Amino acid sequence: MTTASTSVHVPPMKLSGLEPVLIGDGSLFVNIGERTNVTGSKAFARLILNGEFEKALAVARQQVENGAQVIDINMDEAMLDSKAAMVRFLHLIASEPEIARVPIMIDSSKWEVIEAGLKCIQGKGIVNSISLKEGEESFRHQAKLLRRYGAAAVVMAFDEKGQADTYERKIEICERAYRLLVDEIGFPPEDIIFDPNIFAIATGIEEHDNYAVDFINATRWIKQNMPGAKVSGGVSNVSFSFRGNDPVREAIHTVFLYHAIKAGMDMGIVNAGMVGVYDDLEPDLRERVEDVVLNRRPDAGERLVEVAESAKGAAKDDSAKLAWRAKPVDERLSHALVHGINDFIVEDTEEVYQRIKAGGGRPLHVIEGPLMAGMNIVGDLFGQGKMFLPQVVKSARVMKQAVAHLLPYIEEEKRLLIDAGGEAKPKGKIVIATVKGDVHDIGKNIVTVVLQCNNFEVVNMGVMVPCQDILARAKVEGADIIGLSGLITPSLEEMQHVAAEMQRDDHFRIKKIPLLIGGATTSRVHTAVKISPHYEGPVVYVPDASRSVSVCSDLLSDDKAAAYIEELKNDYEKVRVQHANKKATPLVTLTQARANKTPIDWASYAAPQPRFTGRRVFKNYDLAELAQCIDWAPFFQTWDLAGSYPGILTDDIVGESARRVLSDGQRMLKRLIEGRWVTANGVIGLFPANTVNDDDIEIYTDEARSEVLMTWRGLRMQSERPVVDGVMRPNRCLADFVAPKESGVADHVGLFAVTAGLGVDKKEKQFLDDNDDYSAIMLKALADRLAEAFAERMHQRVRTELWGYAADETLSNPDLIAEKYRGIRPAPGYPACPDHTVKGEMFRVLQCEDIAMGLTESLAMTPAASVSGFYIAHPQAAYFNVGKIGDDQLRDWSERNGLDIAQAKRSLAPLL
């Protein structure tokens, strides 16, 4: 820091709750929340005195939500055991991550209370305060203890003669304290916060008129002459003479802070709700307040009093945001649904119910009437592209909470009435499930919410549901439609099985109950060619959640169904014909493909040796570290928002929705990390390896390379390759990038499995129990992002430290996402490694049960938010698409794996 009198570099002040806070040159003003103070807040004092400490936490939480970067806690009350109260409240705060994330200011005039508080807080806090009022010996003793506790200190401008009230006294005491602290005690100058005393102005006493000016000038002097020192103060004191007139007090705070911050004031104890924007103040009021604060004229106080009452009457009207609350209650319900506001939903729902009940109506009429009216608007806006998926899911949360409030009334009515006649009929009932062996359900859950928003009754059976259970439940429920979801390629075959079983069952075949197909690996072509022929009823591919409503509506419409189904049949027949007539991808023989493998000069290759071989487990990995590696682009795809990141944030059509859902996601991510909602575990293995028989990679137990730990059977591109600049492009296989055994090169490969899904189910249930689908879906989307970030981070650590073949790598997160590094991490089920079966051996070698990861019978990983794969280090290693393979490779691969040809066909069906 450079000052007027000296040139000394002082590091920034470092504070922390659960998160670090740095305050130094260029930092913005730090707002210290003042409401958790029994001497400054009657409401807080009442809760503490009544022993309602848990309720008092809400005051602290509100301070943080309103922007306080530090919260001041004071328990100095004559009728209170201040020490016990401080300890109890700080312990409660420690269990509330949303509050504990900010640093704590322990505020007391009693040293025993301060010391007890310091023993409770997490991180590094501030003590408010110490001073010279009891002399230098006491001051030194307390300062040394604070230094041992590692706390920053507020130093009051107060000495043996009393509080400093003039500019001269303020700088005299502060300079004396600074020299004692820095020169004698060795207290870090960046941890000193001076409070030069803010006193009330415009009291009618002439001696008080210059108090604000003296504080501002003292602040400027301290910043120029005491390197590293900060300046703070209790801002609300300055306006005390206008208590009861909040608009004038707010104007005084605003003007005072405007000038004090310009002079160098770093922080202040202030109610954020009582500070406005300097330029937004009414000009006449601002001029009169400025006259008082800067003591510009002798009649300044009288002139401010003249306008004080009118300013109070013309207080700015913040009610515009709540103007909708003045509307009739039916319109209020509609507004809440369309805008996703759940703050008043219970009271508004109750008000409508009581009105309908008084007119002889029933609780279901509330759902049929104003609630469905609001949801119809949501459906219309969504259909018109004027509202996007995240907003719809928020609307659904409001709807669910309203219905949850009505449920006791509905249940009571059912108990009293044998015949519940007149009950609202849903548009149709849909049974939806993720098929056997698959654990991914984010998309299915979104479809569920969207359909429920549009008055369809949906029975969501969850994940890994066997075919017989789906069909049995559909019969019991009297389902009008069945929906199947899946992410991994083996799920496609399971969907074919479900369709075939529906064909065998008269209940479904005769009624021709529609079957919906959706999920990341599904497609219109696959549905038409592979699934639809198994069942004579309608089989419909649904590409995303936004299409589900129109598809279901058309299928169940008396007017449109026949025409829609006929159109669908014709379309799928056309797709099948086109597929049958499609020119087959020209293939070369497996022998030819192997002869055209990736050319690598192994004779001159020096294989990098890992810094260790074997397994290494990483449990409870730091989520905050993983959050730095998140690729946000796929996050928007989860919410059906199309566009590349970050460009999507400024898109003319979906930009606003994208910004809002990203803000919600990042806010939840913060809470997820602070609250440790999920656990991230990982395991990696680095092992000696060589390629054998062209396409297989043998992985060995040790450097002797005599005992095979597992064999990774590769698949090779068989399509005819183009000739570029006279050279034919290679028919690649991942085995090409690992040194052949006969080359004598001692090569290695890595294996990894990571998850960020441990704990997701428990937290998701809490959200669903609160009828909060939006948060439940958001949680799973974030867990997926963290799992991918974990995979990215571990690969980075493998390259730079654990294997260490790129120790000098320094890439930004965008560069990591763009894969601008040496080596690859292919994952089973992806284009370069389409074989899922290798996961079984991989999980055995890595002993994934140690990190609570497993595989379903269809080889889907559990938990769902998991990633696994291999590490290959060769600089020429690249991703590619194996694509279609020939019968010769199918037979060869089945023999190498010891599978019969039928099993091999099932495993590699998408490649055939």
Side-chain angles (χ1 to χ4, degrees), residues 299-314:
D299 60 346
E302 291 86 346
R303 292 181 75 247
L304 182 54
V305 170
E306 287 172 11
V307 300
E309 280 309 306
S310 59
K312 185 177 181 181

Side-chain angles (χ1 to χ4, degrees), residues 430-451:
I430 301 161
V431 167
I432 189 169
T434 300
V435 296
K436 183 179 78 170
D438 205 323
V439 295
H440 297 85
D441 65 350
I442 296 180
K444 171 178 63 68
N445 291 347
I446 291 174
V447 169
T448 298
V449 171
V450 171
L451 289 170

Side-chain angles (χ1 to χ4, degrees), residues 663-732:
S663 173
D664 289 347
Q666 291 178 332
R667 192 159 51 246
M668 180 179 280
L669 179 63
K670 206 168 190 181
R671 291 167 59 207
L672 180 154
I673 293 168
E674 291 165 354
R676 298 173 188 171
W677 294 353
V678 303
T679 299
N681 287 347
V683 57
I684 69 162
L686 299 176
F687 298 101
N690 284 112
T691 290
V692 296
N693 304 323
D694 295 299
D695 299 345
D696 295 342
I697 299 171
E698 282 187 346
I699 298 172
Y700 306 107
T701 55
D702 55 41
E703 290 296 348
R705 299 175 187 253
S706 57
E707 185 180 343
V708 177
L709 190 59
M710 68 170 279
T711 303
W712 177 16
R713 315 281 182 190
L715 289 159
R716 184 172 295 280
M717 299 170 73
Q718 260 188 281
S719 57
E720 281 187 4
R721 305 298 290 142
V723 175
V724 178
D725 296 330
V727 179
M728 183 182 290
R729 294 285 178 145
N731 291 86
R732 299 185 191 278

Side-chain angles (χ1 to χ4, degrees), residues 199-509:
F199 296 124
I201 53 177
T203 61
I205 301 171
E206 189 177 341
E207 288 78 12
H208 299 175
D209 290 350
N210 216 47
Y211 277 165
V213 174
D214 285 342
F215 179 92
I216 291 165
N217 288 338
T219 296
R220 187 176 292 109
W221 187 91
I222 289 167
K223 299 301 288 185
Q224 289 172 347
N225 293 279
M226 297 181 191
K230 312 294 181 290
V231 177
S232 180
V235 176
S236 58
N237 293 347
V238 75
S239 66
F240 192 69
S241 57
F242 285 91
R243 62 190 181 279
N245 189 333
D246 285 352
V248 171
R249 294 196 73 178
E250 181 180 317
I252 293 172
H253 299 162
T254 303
V255 170
F256 174 80
L257 280 173
Y258 175 76
H259 291 285
I261 291 169
K262 277 173 63 175
M265 187 177 182
D266 300 278
M267 60 188 75
I269 300 175
V270 59
N271 182 354
M274 286 287 285
V275 180
V277 177
Y278 180 82
D279 288 336
D280 289 350
L281 294 175
E282 193 277 320
D284 183 52
L285 176 63
R286 183 175 65 208
E287 182 186 346
R288 291 174 189 242
V289 168
E290 210 146 33
D291 287 342
V292 169
V293 169
L294 301 180
N295 194 17
R296 295 195 297 207
R297 50 191 294 169
D299 60 346
E302 291 86 346
R303 292 181 75 247
L304 182 54
V305 170
E306 287 172 11
V307 300
E309 280 309 306
S310 59
K312 185 177 181 181
K316 72 179 183 194
D317 184 8
D318 277 334
S319 61
K321 281 188 271 185
L322 295 176
W324 63 280
R325 300 297 304 154
K327 294 180 179 179
V329 68
D330 287 22
E331 292 182 40
R332 297 204 300 269
L333 275 182
S334 180
H335 181 94
L337 286 162
V338 171
H339 293 90
I341 302 167
N342 61 355
D343 297 354
F344 311 96
I345 194 64
V346 170
E347 60 200 69
D348 285 353
T349 303
E350 178 66 22
E351 185 179 334
V352 172
Y353 171 62
Q354 292 300 336
R355 188 195 70 209
I356 287 176
K357 182 182 175 187
R362 305 168 55 217
L364 282 165
H365 295 159
V366 183
I367 299 172
E368 284 183 310
L371 288 175
M372 281 315 303
M375 290 314 297
N376 286 337
I377 295 171
V378 171
D380 290 344
L381 292 171
F382 186 48
Q384 294 162 16
K386 296 177 181 176
M387 196 170 181
F388 299 97
L389 192 60
Q391 295 152 287
V392 173
V393 179
K394 279 186 175 179
S395 297
R397 171 171 58 184
V398 178
M399 178 72 170
K400 278 196 165 187
Q401 288 167 350
V403 172
H405 178 70
L406 293 169
L407 275 177
Y409 299 129
I410 295 171
E411 293 302 320
E412 177 67 8
E413 183 182 59
K414 285 179 181 176
R415 190 180 68 79
L416 295 172
L417 298 172
I418 296 169
D419 181 2
E423 189 167 340
K425 296 284 186 217
K427 291 180 182 176
K429 183 179 278 191
I430 301 161
V431 167
I432 189 169
T434 300
V435 296
K436 183 179 78 170
D438 205 323
V439 295
H440 297 85
D441 65 350
I442 296 180
K444 171 178 63 68
N445 291 347
I446 291 174
V447 169
T448 298
V449 171
V450 171
L451 289 170
Q452 286 171 335
C453 285
N454 287 271
N455 201 26
F456 288 93
E457 188 176 342
V458 183
V459 178
N460 186 338
M461 293 184 68
V463 299
M464 295 205 305
V465 188
C467 171
Q468 64 270 23
D469 292 358
I470 297 171
L471 302 189
R473 185 68 177 272
K475 289 179 184 178
V476 170
E477 296 286 348
D480 300 299
I481 294 175
I482 293 175
L484 303 179
S485 174
L487 179 77
I488 59 174
T489 46
S491 296
L492 298 175
E493 189 173 347
E494 181 64 20
M495 290 176 181
Q496 294 174 42
H497 173 60
V498 174
E501 289 301 299
M502 289 176 72
Q503 179 67 18
R504 288 179 56 209
D505 192 317
D506 290 348
H507 176 86
F508 300 104
R509 187 181 71 255

